[in-house]
Amino acid sequence: MKFAFIIDPLARLIPGHDTSVALMEAAQELGHEVWATQANELSVIGGKTWAMLSRVALTPVKVVDGRWEAAEAWYEVEQPTLLQPLEAMDAVFMRTDPPVNIPYLYATYLLDGIDPAKTLVVNSPKGLRAANEKMYALQFEGAIPETIVSQNKQVIRQFVEKKGAAVLKPLGGKAGEGILFLEAGDRNLNSLVEISTQQGQIPVMVQTYLPEAKEGDKRIILLDGKPIGAINRIPTGNEFRGNMAVGGRVAKTEITDRELEICTQLEPVLQRDGLYFVGIDIIGGYLTEVNVTSPTGIREIDLFDGVSLGKQVIEWVEKEEGRRKKEEG
């Protein structure tokens, strides 16, 4: 099979951390061709999506002293780079990192030129457009903490005063960027809201603060709506955010019954929207985010649990493609 990965430049990826690299390695180890491109290399020609694709060969990471270690030259890109229709691929992984800005959205429109009956796109471009990683969680009543979305300073202030403490999140943020802890008595509260909403021009999400955040922000990986692994991210020092990008410590964890219930609630909706590979964040038994653009965490889960989630994902693609071809035949 042929796998295409739409990713950020390879030189910027961290092989011992990035899930995209783990997926590419898994595809290669299972005997498939691995090709790479970037969102700005997409075109629509004759109503079909094309891309400048480069064949990639990877040197897999290894566990050394309890951590992943990569070779200095961990990838090779074959030349020449070829313009090819993405329907020539068996599967396309859209793994460009946020922010979900105008160029990102345009890339999803370009990906609409792939016939889903011929090539599996993970995740569906329509699903990516529908699933803002903050707003998407609002539809799962009972699973999320008390939440508002507003750009109105008075509305936000009233919510914070009612709850005593809250967490403000930019709707387009990533890796914990721009997340603020708000307290009712803070004299800077108005200024923080004004800065975050750009003087009332951009809505933000505000959630009641969950004290359990000190115990960790759990990332659960879902494949076709079903949980396949989890990792706990624990804040360090004076930081209230557990994101790995801001220094959160990772720890082995288990998925609780409450968290399984949340996954079951999400499963049919994710399947409906073509969101096959997803990372959800749960704090204190509450769903806080649904990450669909380039969810990460499988390197850390693999290390703690002695598994290969990348291979599970690729094997699922193999079966899914086999099922589709059988239905066509």
Side-chain angles (χ1 to χ4, degrees):
M1 294 176 64
K2 296 182 178 181
F3 286 74
F5 291 85
I6 305 170
I7 53 176
D8 294 319
L10 281 165
R12 284 175 23 197
L13 301 184
I14 304 171
H17 169 69
D18 280 302
T19 288
S20 296
V21 181
L23 293 170
M24 291 191 291
E25 283 183 9
Q28 176 179 282
E29 289 177 19
L30 290 171
H32 304 302
E33 293 183 13
V34 175
W35 297 78
T37 188
Q38 294 175 218
N40 62 0
E41 298 287 358
L42 301 177
S43 302
V44 172
I45 304 171
K48 298 294 183 180
T49 306
W50 293 60
M52 297 295 290
L53 289 163
S54 299
R55 183 77 182 269
V56 179
L58 303 110
T59 301
V61 297
K62 297 179 181 179
V63 178
V64 178
D65 296 329
R67 61 183 180 85
W68 293 116
E69 186 171 292
E72 185 175 349
W74 59 271
Y75 70 90
E76 293 181 2
V77 180
E78 292 185 5
Q79 298 295 335
T81 300
L82 299 175
L83 180 65
Q84 298 186 38
L86 284 177
E87 282 183 9
M89 300 287 120
D90 295 287
V92 174
F93 281 78
M94 175 54 167
R95 294 279 309 171
T96 301
D97 282 344
V100 178
N101 50 19
I102 294 299
Y104 185 98
L105 290 173
Y106 286 167
T108 69
Y109 287 119
L110 291 170
L111 290 173
D112 283 338
I114 300 174
D115 184 349
K118 295 181 179 179
T119 301
L120 178 66
V121 182
V122 182
N123 286 314
S124 160
K126 292 183 176 63
L128 291 174
R129 290 195 295 272
N132 174 276
E133 297 186 329
K134 307 296 189 298
M135 296 287 291
Y136 195 74
L138 295 179
Q139 64 190 294
F140 303 107
E141 294 184 8
I144 64 171
E146 191 168 348
T147 302
I148 64 168
V149 178
S150 181
Q151 53 203 359
N152 186 295
K153 181 168 60 178
Q154 183 176 355
V155 170
I156 296 171
R157 187 177 186 91
Q158 288 175 347
F159 181 84
V160 175
E161 290 175 345
K162 177 183 177 183
K163 296 300 174 184
V167 174
L168 181 150
K169 300 178 179 180
L171 296 181
K174 64 179 178 69
E177 293 176 357
I179 295 179
L180 300 173
F181 176 74
L182 305 180
E183 287 185 291
D186 188 347
R187 290 184 294 178
N188 292 311
L189 179 57
N190 284 341
S191 293
L192 291 172
V193 173
E194 289 165 0
I195 292 169
S196 298
T197 63
Q198 294 187 21
Q199 301 296 329
Q201 298 302 306
I202 298 176
V204 294
M205 174 175 281
V206 185
Q207 294 180 325
T208 183
Y209 173 68
L210 300 171
E212 295 89 345
K214 297 175 183 177
E215 301 168 10
D217 180 352
K218 190 176 293 188
R219 164 62 56 85
I220 300 177
I221 300 295
L222 303 181
L223 177 61
D224 197 26
K226 298 176 178 61
I228 60 172
I231 195 78
N232 199 25
R233 303 166 299 176
I234 303 169
T236 56
N238 295 323
E239 180 61 71
F240 77 94
R241 300 169 296 176
N243 306 73
M244 289 181 280
V246 294
R249 175 174 62 87
V250 293
K252 182 178 175 62
T253 191
E254 303 292 336
I255 301 174
T256 68
D257 290 342
R258 162 67 174 170
E259 291 158 356
L260 285 174
E261 290 175 4
I262 293 173
C263 294
T264 300
Q265 188 178 353
L266 269 64
E267 181 177 355
V269 182
L270 295 175
Q271 291 174 338
R272 178 199 70 195
D273 292 339
L275 298 171
Y276 307 112
F277 186 73
V278 169
I280 63 172
D281 296 339
I282 294 182
I283 298 175
Y286 286 100
L287 175 69
T288 59
E289 290 187 23
V290 181
N291 298 273
V292 301
T293 52
S294 57
T296 192
I298 72 173
R299 283 295 202 204
E300 291 74 19
I301 296 169
D302 286 355
L303 194 61
F304 278 107
D305 294 350
V307 296
S308 176
L309 296 191
K311 287 186 178 180
Q312 289 187 42
V313 173
I314 301 303
E315 288 168 350
W316 174 83
V317 173
E318 293 173 343
K319 292 177 182 177
E320 185 67 13
E321 282 300 285
R323 180 188 65 79
R324 292 177 182 221
K325 288 178 180 178
K326 187 176 181 180
E327 289 178 354
E328 289 177 8

Short mmCIF file of all heavy atoms in Angstrom, two decimals, residues 211-217 232-235 284:
data_model
loop_
_atom_site.label_atom_id
_atom_site.label_comp_id
_atom_site.label_asym_id
_atom_site.label_seq_id
_atom_site.Cartn_x
_atom_site.Cartn_y
_atom_site.Cartn_z
N PRO A 211 -10.20 21.60 39.89
CA PRO A 211 -9.02 21.42 40.75
C PRO A 211 -8.26 20.13 40.46
O PRO A 211 -7.05 20.05 40.73
CB PRO A 211 -9.63 21.40 42.16
CG PRO A 211 -10.93 22.12 42.03
CD PRO A 211 -11.43 21.79 40.66
N GLU A 212 -8.96 19.14 39.89
CA GLU A 212 -8.30 17.87 39.57
C GLU A 212 -7.21 18.03 38.52
O GLU A 212 -6.43 17.10 38.28
CB GLU A 212 -9.34 16.85 39.08
CG GLU A 212 -10.37 16.45 40.12
CD GLU A 212 -11.59 17.36 40.12
OE1 GLU A 212 -11.52 18.46 39.51
OE2 GLU A 212 -12.61 16.98 40.71
N ALA A 213 -7.16 19.21 37.89
CA ALA A 213 -6.11 19.45 36.89
C ALA A 213 -4.72 19.28 37.50
O ALA A 213 -3.76 18.95 36.79
CB ALA A 213 -6.26 20.85 36.31
N LYS A 214 -4.60 19.50 38.82
CA LYS A 214 -3.31 19.34 39.48
C LYS A 214 -2.84 17.89 39.41
O LYS A 214 -1.65 17.60 39.48
CB LYS A 214 -3.41 19.79 40.94
CG LYS A 214 -3.74 21.27 41.10
CD LYS A 214 -3.94 21.61 42.56
CE LYS A 214 -4.33 23.07 42.74
NZ LYS A 214 -4.61 23.41 44.16
N GLU A 215 -3.81 16.96 39.32
CA GLU A 215 -3.49 15.53 39.27
C GLU A 215 -3.22 15.05 37.85
O GLU A 215 -2.78 13.91 37.64
CB GLU A 215 -4.65 14.72 39.88
CG GLU A 215 -4.93 15.09 41.33
CD GLU A 215 -6.25 14.51 41.81
OE1 GLU A 215 -6.83 13.68 41.09
OE2 GLU A 215 -6.68 14.90 42.91
N GLY A 216 -3.52 15.89 36.87
CA GLY A 216 -3.19 15.53 35.50
C GLY A 216 -4.29 15.81 34.50
O GLY A 216 -5.48 15.88 34.84
N ASP A 217 -3.87 15.98 33.26
CA ASP A 217 -4.73 16.18 32.10
C ASP A 217 -4.52 14.95 31.23
O ASP A 217 -3.48 14.79 30.60
CB ASP A 217 -4.31 17.47 31.39
CG ASP A 217 -5.15 17.76 30.15
OD1 ASP A 217 -5.96 16.92 29.74
OD2 ASP A 217 -4.98 18.85 29.59
N ASN A 232 -1.08 10.28 31.05
CA ASN A 232 -1.44 11.39 31.92
C ASN A 232 -0.35 12.45 31.84
O ASN A 232 0.84 12.14 31.86
CB ASN A 232 -1.60 10.92 33.37
CG ASN A 232 -2.39 11.90 34.21
OD1 ASN A 232 -3.19 12.68 33.69
ND2 ASN A 232 -2.20 11.86 35.51
N ARG A 233 -0.78 13.72 31.73
CA ARG A 233 0.15 14.85 31.66
C ARG A 233 -0.05 15.71 32.89
O ARG A 233 -1.12 16.28 33.09
CB ARG A 233 -0.09 15.63 30.36
CG ARG A 233 0.05 14.77 29.11
CD ARG A 233 -0.50 15.43 27.88
NE ARG A 233 -1.94 15.70 28.03
CZ ARG A 233 -2.66 16.35 27.11
NH1 ARG A 233 -2.09 16.82 26.02
NH2 ARG A 233 -3.94 16.55 27.30
N ILE A 234 0.97 15.80 33.70
CA ILE A 234 0.86 16.42 35.01
C ILE A 234 1.62 17.74 35.05
O ILE A 234 2.80 17.79 34.67
CB ILE A 234 1.40 15.47 36.10
CG1 ILE A 234 0.65 14.12 36.03
CG2 ILE A 234 1.27 16.08 37.48
CD1 ILE A 234 1.28 13.04 36.86
N PRO A 235 0.97 18.82 35.51
CA PRO A 235 1.67 20.12 35.59
C PRO A 235 2.87 20.05 36.52
O PRO A 235 2.87 19.30 37.50
CB PRO A 235 0.59 21.07 36.15
CG PRO A 235 -0.71 20.40 35.86
CD PRO A 235 -0.44 18.92 35.93
N GLY A 284 -10.38 15.23 35.57
CA GLY A 284 -11.34 14.96 36.64
C GLY A 284 -12.64 14.35 36.15
O GLY A 284 -13.71 14.61 36.71
#
